[in-house]
mmCIF file of all heavy atoms in Angstrom:
data_model
loop_
_atom_site.group_PDB
_atom_site.id
_atom_site.type_symbol
_atom_site.label_atom_id
_atom_site.label_comp_id
_atom_site.label_asym_id
_atom_site.label_seq_id
_atom_site.Cartn_x
_atom_site.Cartn_y
_atom_site.Cartn_z
ATOM 1 N N GLN H 165 -29.528 109.492 244.723
ATOM 2 C CA GLN H 165 -29.959 108.326 243.944
ATOM 3 C C GLN H 165 -31.239 108.620 243.174
ATOM 4 O O GLN H 165 -31.446 108.078 242.089
ATOM 5 C CB GLN H 165 -30.159 107.126 244.885
ATOM 6 C CG GLN H 165 -30.495 105.810 244.180
ATOM 7 C CD GLN H 165 -31.992 105.637 243.930
ATOM 8 O OE1 GLN H 165 -32.809 105.974 244.791
ATOM 9 N NE2 GLN H 165 -32.365 105.113 242.777
ATOM 10 N N LYS H 166 -32.052 109.501 243.706
ATOM 11 C CA LYS H 166 -33.316 109.859 243.054
ATOM 12 C C LYS H 166 -33.537 111.350 243.226
ATOM 13 O O LYS H 166 -33.508 111.848 244.354
ATOM 14 C CB LYS H 166 -34.468 109.074 243.687
ATOM 15 C CG LYS H 166 -35.856 109.391 243.135
ATOM 16 C CD LYS H 166 -36.920 108.609 243.913
ATOM 17 C CE LYS H 166 -38.326 108.976 243.450
ATOM 18 N NZ LYS H 166 -38.600 108.540 242.072
ATOM 19 N N GLY H 167 -33.743 112.070 242.140
ATOM 20 C CA GLY H 167 -34.048 113.493 242.205
ATOM 21 C C GLY H 167 -32.814 114.369 242.275
ATOM 22 O O GLY H 167 -31.868 114.074 242.991
ATOM 23 N N ARG H 168 -32.853 115.455 241.512
ATOM 24 C CA ARG H 168 -31.752 116.415 241.552
ATOM 25 C C ARG H 168 -31.743 117.203 242.871
ATOM 26 O O ARG H 168 -32.787 117.369 243.512
ATOM 27 C CB ARG H 168 -31.872 117.406 240.392
ATOM 28 C CG ARG H 168 -31.592 116.841 239.012
ATOM 29 C CD ARG H 168 -31.871 117.897 237.956
ATOM 30 N NE ARG H 168 -33.287 118.291 237.971
ATOM 31 C CZ ARG H 168 -33.747 119.413 237.395
ATOM 32 N NH1 ARG H 168 -32.912 120.244 236.791
ATOM 33 N NH2 ARG H 168 -35.036 119.688 237.438
ATOM 34 N N LEU H 169 -30.563 117.691 243.223
ATOM 35 C CA LEU H 169 -30.403 118.585 244.363
ATOM 36 C C LEU H 169 -29.890 119.929 243.858
ATOM 37 O O LEU H 169 -28.898 119.982 243.125
ATOM 38 C CB LEU H 169 -29.404 118.010 245.373
ATOM 39 C CG LEU H 169 -29.663 116.610 245.918
ATOM 40 C CD1 LEU H 169 -28.558 116.219 246.902
ATOM 41 C CD2 LEU H 169 -31.026 116.510 246.584
ATOM 42 N N TRP H 170 -30.584 120.995 244.218
ATOM 43 C CA TRP H 170 -30.050 122.339 244.010
ATOM 44 C C TRP H 170 -29.486 122.777 245.358
ATOM 45 O O TRP H 170 -30.234 122.988 246.319
ATOM 46 C CB TRP H 170 -31.151 123.292 243.555
ATOM 47 C CG TRP H 170 -31.489 123.141 242.095
ATOM 48 C CD1 TRP H 170 -30.849 122.370 241.174
ATOM 49 C CD2 TRP H 170 -32.557 123.803 241.402
ATOM 50 N NE1 TRP H 170 -31.444 122.498 239.950
ATOM 51 C CE2 TRP H 170 -32.495 123.376 240.049
ATOM 52 C CE3 TRP H 170 -33.541 124.712 241.775
ATOM 53 C CZ2 TRP H 170 -33.389 123.828 239.082
ATOM 54 C CZ3 TRP H 170 -34.446 125.162 240.820
ATOM 55 C CH2 TRP H 170 -34.366 124.729 239.482
ATOM 56 N N ILE H 171 -28.183 122.887 245.435
ATOM 57 C CA ILE H 171 -27.519 123.173 246.708
ATOM 58 C C ILE H 171 -26.894 124.564 246.647
ATOM 59 O O ILE H 171 -26.049 124.844 245.790
ATOM 60 C CB ILE H 171 -26.444 122.113 247.022
ATOM 61 C CG1 ILE H 171 -27.086 120.723 247.091
ATOM 62 C CG2 ILE H 171 -25.740 122.448 248.338
ATOM 63 C CD1 ILE H 171 -26.102 119.602 247.384
ATOM 64 N N THR H 172 -27.347 125.413 247.544
ATOM 65 C CA THR H 172 -26.779 126.746 247.672
ATOM 66 C C THR H 172 -25.808 126.743 248.849
ATOM 67 O O THR H 172 -26.157 126.304 249.951
ATOM 68 C CB THR H 172 -27.881 127.789 247.907
ATOM 69 O OG1 THR H 172 -28.846 127.706 246.851
ATOM 70 C CG2 THR H 172 -27.299 129.191 247.945
ATOM 71 N N THR H 173 -24.575 127.201 248.621
ATOM 72 C CA THR H 173 -23.566 127.266 249.662
ATOM 73 C C THR H 173 -23.058 128.701 249.767
ATOM 74 O O THR H 173 -23.388 129.560 248.939
ATOM 75 C CB THR H 173 -22.377 126.336 249.355
ATOM 76 O OG1 THR H 173 -21.559 126.930 248.337
ATOM 77 C CG2 THR H 173 -22.857 124.973 248.884
ATOM 78 N N GLU H 174 -22.227 128.945 250.763
ATOM 79 C CA GLU H 174 -21.656 130.273 250.916
ATOM 80 C C GLU H 174 -20.674 130.609 249.796
ATOM 81 O O GLU H 174 -20.362 131.780 249.585
ATOM 82 C CB GLU H 174 -20.976 130.374 252.284
ATOM 83 C CG GLU H 174 -21.969 130.323 253.432
ATOM 84 C CD GLU H 174 -21.290 130.200 254.782
ATOM 85 O OE1 GLU H 174 -21.017 129.055 255.200
ATOM 86 O OE2 GLU H 174 -21.029 131.244 255.416
ATOM 87 N N CYS H 175 -20.207 129.611 249.069
ATOM 88 C CA CYS H 175 -19.305 129.849 247.941
ATOM 89 C C CYS H 175 -20.036 129.950 246.614
ATOM 90 O O CYS H 175 -19.426 130.270 245.588
ATOM 91 C CB CYS H 175 -18.254 128.738 247.851
ATOM 92 S SG CYS H 175 -17.021 128.781 249.153
ATOM 93 N N GLY H 176 -21.330 129.613 246.600
ATOM 94 C CA GLY H 176 -22.082 129.630 245.359
ATOM 95 C C GLY H 176 -23.008 128.435 245.266
ATOM 96 O O GLY H 176 -23.241 127.717 246.248
ATOM 97 N N ARG H 177 -23.515 128.173 244.053
ATOM 98 C CA ARG H 177 -24.565 127.175 243.862
ATOM 99 C C ARG H 177 -24.068 125.996 243.030
ATOM 100 O O ARG H 177 -23.259 126.149 242.118
ATOM 101 C CB ARG H 177 -25.769 127.834 243.180
ATOM 102 C CG ARG H 177 -26.369 128.967 243.983
ATOM 103 C CD ARG H 177 -27.442 129.707 243.210
ATOM 104 N NE ARG H 177 -26.899 130.388 242.045
ATOM 105 C CZ ARG H 177 -27.650 131.057 241.157
ATOM 106 N NH1 ARG H 177 -28.960 131.131 241.332
ATOM 107 N NH2 ARG H 177 -27.096 131.641 240.124
ATOM 108 N N LEU H 178 -24.612 124.809 243.367
ATOM 109 C CA LEU H 178 -24.296 123.598 242.628
ATOM 110 C C LEU H 178 -25.580 122.848 242.312
ATOM 111 O O LEU H 178 -26.466 122.730 243.174
ATOM 112 C CB LEU H 178 -23.388 122.676 243.444
ATOM 113 C CG LEU H 178 -22.066 123.223 243.964
ATOM 114 C CD1 LEU H 178 -22.124 123.317 245.487
ATOM 115 C CD2 LEU H 178 -20.903 122.333 243.553
ATOM 116 N N GLN H 179 -25.674 122.325 241.087
ATOM 117 C CA GLN H 179 -26.736 121.377 240.758
ATOM 118 C C GLN H 179 -26.115 119.990 240.763
ATOM 119 O O GLN H 179 -25.125 119.751 240.077
ATOM 120 C CB GLN H 179 -27.351 121.661 239.394
ATOM 121 C CG GLN H 179 -28.388 120.607 238.996
ATOM 122 C CD GLN H 179 -29.109 120.928 237.707
ATOM 123 O OE1 GLN H 179 -30.234 121.427 237.738
ATOM 124 N NE2 GLN H 179 -28.480 120.652 236.577
ATOM 125 N N VAL H 180 -26.708 119.071 241.536
ATOM 126 C CA VAL H 180 -26.156 117.727 241.685
ATOM 127 C C VAL H 180 -27.228 116.720 241.282
ATOM 128 O O VAL H 180 -28.285 116.643 241.907
ATOM 129 C CB VAL H 180 -25.683 117.467 243.129
ATOM 130 C CG1 VAL H 180 -24.923 116.154 243.204
ATOM 131 C CG2 VAL H 180 -24.805 118.621 243.626
ATOM 132 N N CYS H 181 -26.943 115.957 240.227
ATOM 133 C CA CYS H 181 -27.889 114.985 239.694
ATOM 134 C C CYS H 181 -27.510 113.585 240.152
ATOM 135 O O CYS H 181 -26.350 113.329 240.499
ATOM 136 C CB CYS H 181 -27.882 115.029 238.166
ATOM 137 S SG CYS H 181 -28.232 116.654 237.464
ATOM 138 N N PRO H 182 -28.455 112.632 240.158
ATOM 139 C CA PRO H 182 -28.077 111.240 240.379
ATOM 140 C C PRO H 182 -26.996 110.827 239.375
ATOM 141 O O PRO H 182 -27.099 111.115 238.183
ATOM 142 C CB PRO H 182 -29.395 110.484 240.144
ATOM 143 C CG PRO H 182 -30.460 111.472 240.510
ATOM 144 C CD PRO H 182 -29.932 112.795 240.051
ATOM 145 N N GLY H 183 -25.965 110.180 239.866
ATOM 146 C CA GLY H 183 -24.781 109.899 239.053
ATOM 147 C C GLY H 183 -23.658 110.866 239.326
ATOM 148 O O GLY H 183 -22.531 110.683 238.844
ATOM 149 N N GLU H 184 -23.932 111.915 240.106
ATOM 150 C CA GLU H 184 -22.911 112.844 240.575
ATOM 151 C C GLU H 184 -22.827 112.761 242.099
ATOM 152 O O GLU H 184 -23.736 112.236 242.749
ATOM 153 C CB GLU H 184 -23.240 114.286 240.164
ATOM 154 C CG GLU H 184 -23.274 114.511 238.664
ATOM 155 C CD GLU H 184 -23.593 115.958 238.303
ATOM 156 O OE1 GLU H 184 -24.507 116.537 238.922
ATOM 157 O OE2 GLU H 184 -22.936 116.493 237.397
ATOM 158 N N ILE H 185 -21.746 113.283 242.658
ATOM 159 C CA ILE H 185 -21.603 113.393 244.106
ATOM 160 C C ILE H 185 -21.245 114.829 244.444
ATOM 161 O O ILE H 185 -20.769 115.588 243.593
ATOM 162 C CB ILE H 185 -20.525 112.438 244.657
ATOM 163 C CG1 ILE H 185 -19.146 112.763 244.043
ATOM 164 C CG2 ILE H 185 -20.905 110.999 244.404
ATOM 165 C CD1 ILE H 185 -17.990 112.031 244.695
ATOM 166 N N VAL H 186 -21.491 115.212 245.682
ATOM 167 C CA VAL H 186 -21.103 116.537 246.148
ATOM 168 C C VAL H 186 -20.484 116.408 247.529
ATOM 169 O O VAL H 186 -20.935 115.588 248.347
ATOM 170 C CB VAL H 186 -22.309 117.507 246.160
ATOM 171 C CG1 VAL H 186 -23.396 117.032 247.127
ATOM 172 C CG2 VAL H 186 -21.868 118.921 246.495
ATOM 173 N N ILE H 187 -19.441 117.185 247.782
ATOM 174 C CA ILE H 187 -18.779 117.209 249.084
ATOM 175 C C ILE H 187 -19.005 118.587 249.694
ATOM 176 O O ILE H 187 -18.664 119.611 249.090
ATOM 177 C CB ILE H 187 -17.265 116.901 248.962
ATOM 178 C CG1 ILE H 187 -17.029 115.408 248.671
ATOM 179 C CG2 ILE H 187 -16.559 117.256 250.267
ATOM 180 C CD1 ILE H 187 -17.300 114.989 247.264
ATOM 181 N N LEU H 188 -19.609 118.607 250.871
ATOM 182 C CA LEU H 188 -19.883 119.839 251.609
ATOM 183 C C LEU H 188 -19.010 119.828 252.859
ATOM 184 O O LEU H 188 -19.262 119.069 253.793
ATOM 185 C CB LEU H 188 -21.360 119.924 251.970
ATOM 186 C CG LEU H 188 -22.313 119.892 250.761
ATOM 187 C CD1 LEU H 188 -23.758 119.758 251.217
ATOM 188 C CD2 LEU H 188 -22.133 121.148 249.911
ATOM 189 N N PRO H 189 -17.951 120.645 252.882
ATOM 190 C CA PRO H 189 -16.992 120.582 253.996
ATOM 191 C C PRO H 189 -17.604 121.007 255.323
ATOM 192 O O PRO H 189 -18.563 121.784 255.379
ATOM 193 C CB PRO H 189 -15.883 121.555 253.564
ATOM 194 C CG PRO H 189 -16.060 121.728 252.092
ATOM 195 C CD PRO H 189 -17.527 121.590 251.848
ATOM 196 N N GLN H 190 -17.008 120.503 256.374
ATOM 197 C CA GLN H 190 -17.403 120.838 257.746
ATOM 198 C C GLN H 190 -17.473 122.353 257.924
ATOM 199 O O GLN H 190 -16.566 123.084 257.535
ATOM 200 C CB GLN H 190 -16.389 120.240 258.718
ATOM 201 C CG GLN H 190 -16.621 120.596 260.173
ATOM 202 C CD GLN H 190 -15.450 120.189 261.052
ATOM 203 O OE1 GLN H 190 -14.413 119.770 260.531
ATOM 204 N NE2 GLN H 190 -15.592 120.302 262.351
ATOM 205 N N GLY H 191 -18.571 122.807 258.510
ATOM 206 C CA GLY H 191 -18.682 124.211 258.878
ATOM 207 C C GLY H 191 -19.369 125.099 257.871
ATOM 208 O O GLY H 191 -19.818 126.192 258.217
ATOM 209 N N TYR H 192 -19.461 124.666 256.603
ATOM 210 C CA TYR H 192 -20.127 125.493 255.593
ATOM 211 C C TYR H 192 -21.640 125.426 255.747
ATOM 212 O O TYR H 192 -22.204 124.359 256.010
ATOM 213 C CB TYR H 192 -19.746 125.037 254.184
ATOM 214 C CG TYR H 192 -18.568 125.794 253.607
ATOM 215 C CD1 TYR H 192 -17.306 125.227 253.557
ATOM 216 C CD2 TYR H 192 -18.730 127.093 253.126
ATOM 217 C CE1 TYR H 192 -16.225 125.919 253.032
ATOM 218 C CE2 TYR H 192 -17.655 127.803 252.602
ATOM 219 C CZ TYR H 192 -16.404 127.213 252.555
ATOM 220 O OH TYR H 192 -15.344 127.917 252.049
ATOM 221 N N ARG H 193 -22.284 126.552 255.557
ATOM 222 C CA ARG H 193 -23.737 126.606 255.595
ATOM 223 C C ARG H 193 -24.283 126.379 254.187
ATOM 224 O O ARG H 193 -23.737 126.900 253.212
ATOM 225 C CB ARG H 193 -24.200 127.947 256.161
ATOM 226 C CG ARG H 193 -23.777 128.070 257.628
ATOM 227 C CD ARG H 193 -24.063 129.414 258.240
ATOM 228 N NE ARG H 193 -23.708 129.385 259.667
ATOM 229 C CZ ARG H 193 -23.838 130.397 260.505
ATOM 230 N NH1 ARG H 193 -24.319 131.553 260.058
ATOM 231 N NH2 ARG H 193 -23.498 130.272 261.768
ATOM 232 N N PHE H 194 -25.339 125.584 254.107
ATOM 233 C CA PHE H 194 -25.900 125.252 252.795
ATOM 234 C C PHE H 194 -27.391 125.011 252.921
ATOM 235 O O PHE H 194 -27.913 124.719 254.008
ATOM 236 C CB PHE H 194 -25.197 124.033 252.192
ATOM 237 C CG PHE H 194 -25.394 122.745 252.949
ATOM 238 C CD1 PHE H 194 -26.446 121.883 252.643
ATOM 239 C CD2 PHE H 194 -24.524 122.383 253.974
ATOM 240 C CE1 PHE H 194 -26.627 120.688 253.331
ATOM 241 C CE2 PHE H 194 -24.701 121.194 254.681
ATOM 242 C CZ PHE H 194 -25.757 120.349 254.352
#
Side-chain angles (χ1 to χ4, degrees):
Q165 185 273 320
K166 178 184 176 67
R168 289 175 298 163
L169 305 180
W170 282 353
I171 301 179
T172 304
T173 76
E174 293 171 273
C175 289
R177 299 173 295 176
L178 304 112
Q179 176 175 260
V180 189
C181 304
E184 297 180 316
I185 61 170
V186 62
I187 287 77
L188 301 171
Q190 176 190 8
Y192 267 103
R193 294 174 176 180
F194 65 91

